[in-house]
Amino acid sequence: MKFKKNWGFVIILTLILILGVNVSTVQARSQTVVVGSQGSDAQIWRYISRSTAAKKAHLKIRVKEINDGIQLNRATSEGSVDANAFQSASYLQSYNKDNPNGKLTILGTTYLEPLGLYSKKYKSLKQLPDHAKIAIADDPANQTRSLQLLQTAGLIKLNKTRDQTASVNDLKANPHHFRFYQVNSSTVARVLNDVAAGLITNTIAQESGLNVWHDSILHEKLDRSTQKNINIIAASPKNSRRPEIKKLVKVYHQPAVKRYIRNSFHHTKVLVKEPVSKLKE
């Protein structure tokens, strides 16, 4: 009788162990997160996916590279991507406005990539002549950002708009009579020989061998005026509540990851860890 009881105990214990392994396997699978990104951000997330920080957080990260921002946001909204990291808060705001049925939410901040004004003909802002031809991105988010930089420097004045976006048609004052040449944001660096100066995002500048701290004649600073230009991690409202998705922000700001970003991109990505509420002020 005692022998039968012992065997019964062994069988029950074995079942528990088997079920425990199955549960652990399911949990491990549920921790896999697909992060959509592009360019240098994809490089960062590949590093994070192999990092000790990700392992300690029990995160298995798979990086999916989609080189079109709108398509990447749509993939995130539709669920083939769990979260993405490539855009600024202002870019996401513009996207959400145009896509009310597929809005994304901000999980946390990553860094500010200072946008700069570059020139191959002039070495300082003071040398930039009146009537200068300036290349500027034609998409709403980057054009707004570029014009705001020029306004902060006192070079132009903008009319206030209801949605806080701005275009070259919203100039209230243009005392230097700058002529704006609108091109795709990825093209600005390639047309520098044909213009007096160009407003270039940091990712494109880096890819073109330019360093915002050394090569620009004007660049953004991290202050209240650039809060909405801080890059972010975004997800659908549904995914933003998943515990493993929330871990992405924490893992991003681990010391080893921060060192990697600083060293790999020559300190041109200014790491920012701010509450999401700050981006809405």
Side-chain angles (χ1 to χ4, degrees):
M1 189 74 176
K2 187 176 180 180
F3 178 77
K4 288 183 178 179
K5 284 183 178 179
N6 287 340
W7 268 109
F9 176 76
V10 170
I11 291 169
I12 291 170
L13 182 61
T14 302
L15 287 170
I16 289 171
L17 288 172
I18 291 170
L19 287 171
V21 169
N22 287 338
V23 169
S24 297
T25 303
V26 171
Q27 287 177 338
R29 286 175 182 168
S30 71
Q31 294 292 303
T32 300
V33 177
V34 179
V35 176
S37 199
Q38 54 185 255
S40 59
D41 282 300
Q43 178 184 333
I44 291 169
W45 283 101
R46 288 192 187 96
Y47 171 82
I48 293 173
S49 71
R50 302 187 297 268
S51 70
T52 302
K55 290 175 184 175
K56 285 183 177 179
H58 304 291
L59 274 179
K60 184 177 180 182
I61 298 171
R62 183 163 65 88
V63 181
K64 187 172 184 177
E65 195 160 0
I66 299 175
N67 291 316
D68 181 280
I70 294 173
Q71 293 304 319
L72 180 44
N73 274 338
R74 284 177 181 166
T76 308
S77 176
E78 292 165 2
S80 59
V81 166
D82 295 317
N84 71 46
F86 76 96
Q87 64 195 322
S88 66
S90 59
Y91 185 98
L92 179 61
Q93 183 183 39
S94 177
Y95 174 83
N96 283 343
K97 180 186 173 185
D98 294 336
N99 299 271
N101 296 323
K103 287 184 178 181
L104 300 178
T105 187
I106 300 174
L107 296 174
T109 60
T110 55
Y111 55 76
L112 172 73
E113 285 202 280
L115 181 143
L117 179 67
Y118 298 82
S119 176
K120 288 190 174 182
K121 299 175 182 177
Y122 306 102
K123 293 183 178 180
S124 72
L125 201 58
K126 291 180 180 179
Q127 294 178 350
L128 198 63
D130 289 351
H131 303 281
K133 187 177 182 181
I134 297 177
I136 189 171
D138 60 3
D139 64 276
N142 284 317
Q143 187 161 130
T144 296
R145 186 173 176 178
S146 297
L147 292 170
Q148 286 174 342
L149 174 61
L150 296 179
Q151 178 171 254
T152 300
L155 297 172
I156 62 169
K157 285 186 179 180
L158 295 167
N159 288 311
K160 289 184 178 180
T161 56
R162 187 174 299 177
D163 58 3
Q164 297 184 323
T165 61
S167 75
V168 293
N169 297 319
D170 295 314
L171 293 175
K172 183 177 181 180
N174 183 12
H176 298 284
H177 308 286
F178 291 144
R179 294 171 295 136
F180 292 100
Y181 176 45
Q182 301 182 65
V183 295
N184 185 282
S185 61
S186 64
T187 308
V188 180
R190 296 202 293 269
V191 301
L192 282 181
N193 287 324
D194 304 315
V195 296
L199 291 142
I200 310 175
T201 60
N202 186 56
T203 297
I204 302 301
Q206 283 266 300
E207 291 171 355
S208 305
L210 298 169
N211 184 300
V212 67
W213 306 128
H214 307 307
D215 300 318
S216 69
I217 58 175
L218 175 68
H219 58 74
E220 291 176 327
K221 297 177 182 177
L222 181 58
D223 56 28
R224 189 178 179 86
S225 70
T226 58
Q227 279 180 341
K228 290 191 176 181
N229 299 332
I230 294 170
N231 278 31
I232 49 93
I233 301 171
S236 67
K238 181 181 178 181
N239 271 341
S240 67
R241 294 188 288 271
R242 287 169 55 189
E244 63 269 31
I245 302 295
K246 291 179 180 180
K247 289 179 182 178
L248 292 174
V249 179
K250 187 175 181 180
V251 167
Y252 195 97
H253 290 282
Q254 291 301 303
V257 175
K258 291 194 285 187
R259 281 195 300 272
Y260 171 80
I261 295 170
R262 289 193 185 104
N263 295 337
S264 298
F265 302 100
H266 313 289
H267 295 251
T268 62
K269 295 181 188 290
V270 183
L271 290 159
V272 179
K273 189 176 182 182
E274 289 279 10
V276 173
S277 58
K278 281 276 187 181
L279 306 181
K280 299 176 181 177
E281 290 180 355

